[in-house]
């Protein structure tokens, strides 16, 4: 069993006091474990969430780090890794839910010869409540791709920042790409870097729960931001993005120009559907392709 761990939680406009309480409770129950919980606030603009998260500083071994500027999803994780004291780093996104009382112990008991261990995540939102939510529909439809057997088939392509443990030495040697300032693909690029450097990685069944789904319009804006990132880093991400494979195929057979014309004429209609109470996942895929060509 691993004897020390730094639990690192990047957050932005999200209250994660409950998550910190749960993880610190689990850590205290492991005899002889040296641990800390570091919450890195990436320049939150929501004053209420900042004030509530300051309570984290009252918990033993827990610290809430406030950044006054937004560093970005890659840089805030690198900052936390540098600040961490212990050999093993456990990254968990603040908008996830700890589903198991054995969550931390499963990571501590995992094969110590592995430098990276990915626990995965699962959708736990109520279908009746979220059925009109585009993010919920998208994540639910993609659920089979996140199952353990699928992740094990191509471990580096299925690397996710939502929930993973990594050796601090490996993290410092192969940090997140700080060129990434906007949303998206920092996990994909790190997975590629780890594969290129032959860093031992494994996936286990130790998921966190995902039940915090933004409104449709907000998710669509976040998706557009991610597509802009994908386009900017397309050479780096070649072979690691299904969307990139589709658009490059369309370019090779000269469908990109006509599709761009179609998208521009249909964009408002497609967007209206995607922001409605009955968003279409098929239109969501078509929208992403068109936005890539038009951005």
């Amino acid at each position: 069993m691993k004897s020390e761990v730094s639990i690192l939680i990047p957050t932005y406009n999200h209250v994660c006091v409950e998550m910190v309480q749960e993880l610190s409770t689990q850590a205290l129950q492991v005899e002889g474990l040296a641990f800390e919980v570091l919450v890195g606030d990436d320049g939150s603009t929501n004053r209420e969430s900042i004030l509530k998260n300051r309570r984290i500083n009252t918990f033993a071994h827990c610290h809430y780090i406030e950044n006054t500027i937004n560093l970005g999803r890659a840089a805030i994780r690198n900052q936390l890794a540098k600040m961490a004291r212990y050999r093993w780093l456990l990254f968990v996104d603040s908008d996830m839910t700890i589903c198991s009382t054995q969550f931390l112990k499963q990571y501590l008991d995992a094969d110590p010869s592995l430098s990276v261990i990915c626990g995965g995540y699962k959708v736990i939102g109520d279908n009746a409540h979220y059925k009109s939510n585009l993010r919920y529909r998208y994540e639910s439809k993609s659920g089979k791709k996140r199952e353990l057997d699928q992740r094990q088939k191509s471990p580096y392509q299925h690397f996710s920042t939502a929930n993973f443990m990594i050796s601090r030495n490996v993290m410092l040697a192969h940090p997140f790409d700080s060129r990434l300032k906007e949303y998206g693909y920092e996990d994909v690029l790190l997975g590629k870097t780890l594969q290129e450097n032959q860093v031992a990685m494994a996936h286990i069944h130790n998921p966190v729960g995902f039940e915090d789904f933004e409104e449709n319009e907000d998710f669509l804006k976040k998706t557009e931001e991610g597509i802009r990132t994908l386009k900017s880093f397309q050479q780096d991400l070649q072979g690691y993005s299904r969307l990139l494979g589709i658009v490059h195929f369309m370019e090779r057979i000269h469908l990109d120009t006509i599709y761009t014309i179609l998208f521009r004429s249909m964009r408002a209609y497609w967007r209206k559907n995607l922001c409605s109470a009955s968003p279409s996942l098929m239109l969501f895929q078509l929208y992403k392709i068109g936005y890539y060509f038009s951005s």
Side-chain angles (χ1 to χ4, degrees), residues 43 77 100 103 177 247 274 277 281:
R77 287 167 170 81
S100 168
F103 173 76
D177 194 325
V247 297
L274 295 173
L281 290 180

Side-chain angles (χ1 to χ4, degrees), residues 4-273:
E4 58 182 61
V5 63
S6 293
I7 301 171
L8 309 179
I9 306 172
T11 190
Y12 178 75
N13 287 339
H14 193 89
V15 179
C16 50
V17 174
E18 186 175 334
M19 171 183 282
V20 173
Q21 284 181 311
E22 176 60 30
L23 289 172
S24 61
T25 296
Q26 290 190 22
L28 288 167
Q29 291 172 348
V30 179
E31 186 177 354
L33 179 67
F35 79 95
E36 63 182 349
V37 182
L38 304 181
V39 178
D41 191 311
D42 196 17
S44 288
T45 56
N46 186 311
R47 186 68 180 169
E48 183 179 359
S49 69
I50 294 172
L51 293 175
K52 288 182 178 179
N53 279 333
R54 284 177 178 169
R55 186 184 167 206
I56 291 166
N57 290 319
T58 67
F59 304 153
H61 311 289
C62 300
H63 307 280
Y64 176 58
I65 301 127
E66 297 181 44
N67 289 292
T68 57
I69 61 172
N70 183 260
L71 302 175
R73 292 166 60 89
I76 187 66
R77 287 167 170 81
N78 290 339
Q79 181 193 62
L80 287 170
K82 289 176 182 177
M83 295 179 69
R85 298 168 55 195
Y86 297 119
R87 178 185 173 189
W88 291 99
L89 311 180
L90 174 57
F91 280 92
V92 185
D93 282 356
S94 66
D95 57 352
M96 296 293 172
T97 300
I98 306 302
C99 301
S100 168
T101 57
Q102 298 300 305
F103 173 76
L104 178 59
K105 192 172 185 301
Q106 284 201 63
Y107 271 120
L108 298 175
D109 287 341
D111 185 351
S113 68
L114 297 167
S115 296
V116 186
I117 307 160
C118 304
Y121 70 93
K122 62 181 180 180
V123 172
I124 59 175
D126 177 63
N127 182 64
H129 180 72
Y130 288 113
K131 61 183 180 180
S132 63
N133 185 276
L134 177 60
R135 181 72 182 269
Y136 173 79
R137 287 191 177 191
Y138 175 74
E139 296 289 350
S140 297
K141 184 71 178 295
S142 305
K144 289 187 177 181
K145 297 178 183 178
R146 295 192 302 272
E147 292 179 358
L148 181 59
D149 61 336
Q150 297 300 311
R151 290 189 282 128
Q152 289 174 329
K153 289 177 182 178
S154 50
Y156 297 95
Q157 283 79 3
H158 282 92
F159 175 75
S160 168
T161 60
N163 169 28
F164 74 101
M165 177 172 277
I166 187 169
S167 158
R168 183 173 184 269
N169 288 340
V170 170
M171 187 76 260
L172 295 181
H174 307 292
F176 286 96
D177 194 325
S178 58
R179 294 176 299 163
L180 294 166
K181 302 299 183 183
E182 290 193 304
Y183 172 82
Y185 294 96
E186 70 282 346
D187 49 355
V188 180
L189 276 181
L190 181 56
K192 179 184 178 183
T193 298
L194 295 173
Q195 184 173 24
E196 290 174 342
N197 287 275
Q198 299 180 326
V199 176
M201 177 191 293
H203 288 256
I204 63 174
H205 180 70
N206 192 25
V208 288
F210 186 22
E211 59 177 339
D212 185 15
F213 309 105
E214 58 269 81
E215 295 297 322
N216 293 354
E217 185 170 356
D218 293 333
F219 179 51
L220 197 55
K221 289 179 180 177
K222 185 182 287 188
T223 299
E224 292 171 345
E225 187 176 351
I227 292 171
R228 293 194 299 271
T229 299
L230 175 63
K231 194 167 185 176
S232 297
F233 292 87
Q234 58 181 294
Q235 291 188 341
D236 300 276
L237 293 165
Q238 187 65 41
Y240 284 78
S241 165
R242 182 172 177 268
L243 178 60
L244 204 55
I246 292 172
V247 297
H248 284 177
F249 172 74
M250 293 178 70
E251 286 170 344
R252 286 196 301 272
I253 61 175
H254 308 292
L255 280 179
D256 50 319
T257 300
I258 191 170
Y259 196 91
T260 302
I261 295 171
L262 171 67
F263 176 73
R264 287 172 178 168
S265 65
M266 299 298 294
R267 179 176 182 175
Y269 168 74
W270 288 354
R271 214 175 195 288
K272 183 177 180 181
N273 171 271

